Amino acid sequence: MMPTQIILLKEGTDSSQGVPQLVSNINACQVIAEAVRTTLGPRGMDKLMVDNRGKATISNDGATILKLLDVVHPAAKTLVDIAKSQDAEVGDGTTSVTLLAAEFLKQVKPYVEEGLHPQTIIRSSTATQLAVKKINEIAVSVKKGDKDEQKSLLVKCASTALNSKLIAVQKEFFSMMVVDAVMMLDDLLPLKMIGMKKVQGGALEDSQLVAGVAFKKTFSYAGFEMQPKKYENPKIALLNVELELKAEKENAEVRVKSVEDYQAIVDAEWNILYDKLEKIYKSGAKVVLSKLPIGDVATQFFADRDLFCAGRVQEEDLKRTMMACGGSIQTSVGSLTDDVLGQCALFEEVQVGGERYNFFKGCPKAKTCTIILRGGAEQFMEETERSLHDAIMIVRRAIKNDSVVAGGGAIEMELSKYLRDYSRTIPGKQQLLIGAYAKALEIIPRQLCDNAGFDATNILNKLRAKHAQAGMWYGVDVNNEDIADNYIACVWEPSIVRINALTAASEAACLILSVDETIKNPRSTVDGPPGGQGRGRGRPHAH
Ligand code: ADP
Ligand code: MG
């Protein structure tokens, strides 16, 4: 009797499994790594990406590039996710983590093809724990007590992070700025207390750091010129109140019989407004900020009484002002008591390039600062902002965990040597697998060489020799096509970045290895052109 076939899934469901499936997933991950490979390191290239709306982005940041690629391959997506998580967790090392994960997979691919059980391979990821332990052992920590020493360490970390970016030429300027900015924050180092504003025009070096809140002056009416632009110790009213005559604007229909009636309505309108303005004036506030518009009557009223006002302030700016200056945002002017008013040491309005900026300095509540970026093209400034974000994250990390390792492939070479030595002490398949892991780590220095146009094999041979002779911190010297002690050369990175990159990469690799079947619902494959095109074997999203 013929066995009846059991139909479990809807017709058209695509399911692939077993070794070919694993190999195809590994291949997809290689494609992802290919996409970001050339961006690694100080000699890395940038990518120009144009989305379907024609918006162009230039970036060197692995996470940004992968986010924009819109990858649909399910396994390859894992790599995008770890890059994103690395970005969120430590903010740097996003290219490294992707490359490492892809390289781990590449190194074990022959074993998968030979039919070695994935679980055996996954077991070899104990090598990660060994590597992390080793990093912790050899990382150099700095004393927190010494402020000057701590600061110079932080500047070095920031400039290593900026090395690979478009703004590398101005890295000294920006690494000082980033370190100053982070050091202004309180102990928790909240990222959102660093505001970042972009003003087109001017040179990069015209960028400045403001100790406090700063934002662009919003649209303003006549009468504004008469308002004072500078106060010491002003009280600040933070409002979500409209201070504008409403009559014409609302388009309401009001039927009146006589001129007097009409006048009464107009008067009522004015009275309501004047009543609000009077209350604000009485509260003693010198600076009035509102999320909603402040009209010409109100502007003139405040100008006459020596007050400054700005309407249509962005919510984010208003909130940051509130957090920095204290007080709270009011939706009515009924109770503007002292405890809901904010305060700062100095308020002033300043010209920055073609824009007017409001500065609030000496904020008592929360320590905050604002970086005002200057520069030419918009894409360039956006990339600058992202690069500074990387550097800020690194500095924050370095303050929290003050231990560093040498970069430029030095730490990877040292770990590789350590694991290779270790693998020789164990028998069986694990020896080969841990050896493969050790080999995979070499991708970082290799790629740094490739991107700089160096002979990678030659440099790697030199590095292996040096590390065998206890030259622990030797890495790629990108300036002289040679190797150098990168600890002395001050190419430093917080050890947490490397630890996180290693663990995340190995977790992702294990995850991909542990998937041996993909089942695709037919619905998800009907629309869109047939697959097999584009990066990551993806199809563009159907929505
Ligand atoms: P990621 O997204 O992984 O941070 P980057 O493009 O920032 O990628 O490159 C980081 C790599 O470049 C790290 O391995 C780092 O050690 C290395 N690197 C940075 N500056 C230098 C330098 N001056 N010399 C050699 N290597 C460097
Ligand atoms: Mg980086």
Side-chain angles (χ1 to χ4, degrees), residues 365-421:
K365 279 285 179 203
K367 300 181 171 172
T368 180
C369 61
T370 310
I371 294 176
I372 301 181
L373 288 178
R374 306 297 313 279
E378 195 181 322
Q379 284 99 332
F380 186 74
M381 286 210 290
E382 273 171 19
E383 174 67 0
T384 310
E385 181 177 354
R386 278 191 293 270
S387 311
L388 290 188
H389 170 259
D390 274 17
I392 288 171
M393 291 294 281
I394 284 306
V395 173
R396 284 175 70 222
R397 281 291 146 187
I399 292 180
K400 285 185 180 168
N401 320 266
D402 47 358
S403 78
V404 292
V405 292
I411 181 71
E412 283 82 9
M413 285 309 287
E414 184 61 20
L415 292 176
S416 174
K417 175 202 144 224
Y418 169 71
L419 289 176
R420 208 175 319 113
D421 290 351

Side-chain angles (χ1 to χ4, degrees), residues 92-93 161 164-165 390:
D92 192 24
S164 57
K165 310 291 181 193
D390 274 17

Side-chain angles (χ1 to χ4, degrees), residues 39-42 60 62 92-96 160 163-165 407-409 444 448 476 478 486 491 493 498:
T39 66
L40 184 80
N60 178 279
D92 192 24
T94 49
T95 316
S96 311
T160 309
N163 259 338
S164 57
K165 310 291 181 193
I444 301 289
L448 287 171
V476 183
V478 288
N486 276 348
V491 181
E493 286 188 85
R498 295 292 123 185

Side-chain angles (χ1 to χ4, degrees), residues 259-273:
V259 176
E260 288 76 32
D261 283 357
Y262 179 68
Q263 189 60 44
I265 291 172
V266 173
D267 284 351
E269 197 65 63
W270 282 73
N271 285 338
I272 293 172
L273 180 64

Side-chain angles (χ1 to χ4, degrees), residues 188-381:
L188 284 173
L189 308 175
L191 188 60
K192 61 172 189 277
M193 293 311 275
I194 302 183
M196 198 94 79
K197 302 279 163 192
K198 291 169 288 210
V199 182
Q200 231 173 17
L204 264 183
E205 288 88 353
D206 296 335
S207 304
Q208 55 173 315
L209 177 67
V210 182
V213 185
F215 53 81
K216 200 165 94 183
K217 187 195 76 155
T218 45
F219 176 78
S220 54
Y221 286 99
F224 176 78
E225 294 76 31
M226 294 155 60
Q227 292 182 341
K229 306 290 190 313
K230 190 168 178 175
Y231 295 100
E232 273 166 30
N233 293 315
K235 285 183 186 161
I236 305 162
L238 306 159
L239 305 174
N240 191 0
V241 178
E242 202 167 30
L243 298 173
E244 216 174 13
L245 284 175
K246 282 203 161 181
E248 309 93 299
K249 212 185 81 186
E250 293 300 75
N251 248 344
E253 188 175 304
V254 182
R255 295 190 180 207
V256 284
K257 292 215 171 64
S258 64
V259 176
E260 288 76 32
D261 283 357
Y262 179 68
Q263 189 60 44
I265 291 172
V266 173
D267 284 351
E269 197 65 63
W270 282 73
N271 285 338
I272 293 172
L273 180 64
Y274 272 115
D275 181 46
K276 283 190 200 165
L277 295 177
E278 199 64 41
K279 279 186 178 142
I280 297 173
Y281 172 57
K282 290 243 176 70
S283 74
K286 279 286 172 198
V287 176
V288 183
L289 303 178
S290 179
K291 218 176 100 183
L292 296 173
I294 296 183
D296 48 356
V297 178
T299 309
Q300 192 63 51
F301 179 94
F302 288 135
D304 291 346
R305 284 161 188 76
D306 196 27
L307 267 72
F308 174 90
C309 70
R312 295 188 192 168
V313 177
Q314 301 234 317
E315 175 153 17
E316 171 203 286
D317 292 330
L318 202 63
K319 279 212 176 119
R320 216 154 58 84
T321 315
M322 177 180 84
M323 281 194 284
C325 303
S328 57
I329 298 173
Q330 297 292 304
T331 46
S332 80
V333 292
S335 55
L336 285 178
T337 48
D338 268 0
D339 56 324
V340 300
L341 296 179
Q343 208 157 17
C344 71
L346 178 72
F347 166 82
E348 71 184 320
E349 196 186 280
V350 179
Q351 188 80 23
V352 181
E355 319 261 19
R356 304 286 296 173
Y357 258 78
N358 298 330
F359 285 8
F360 298 80
K361 293 182 182 165
C363 306
K365 279 285 179 203
K367 300 181 171 172
T368 180
C369 61
T370 310
I371 294 176
I372 301 181
L373 288 178
R374 306 297 313 279
E378 195 181 322
Q379 284 99 332
F380 186 74
M381 286 210 290

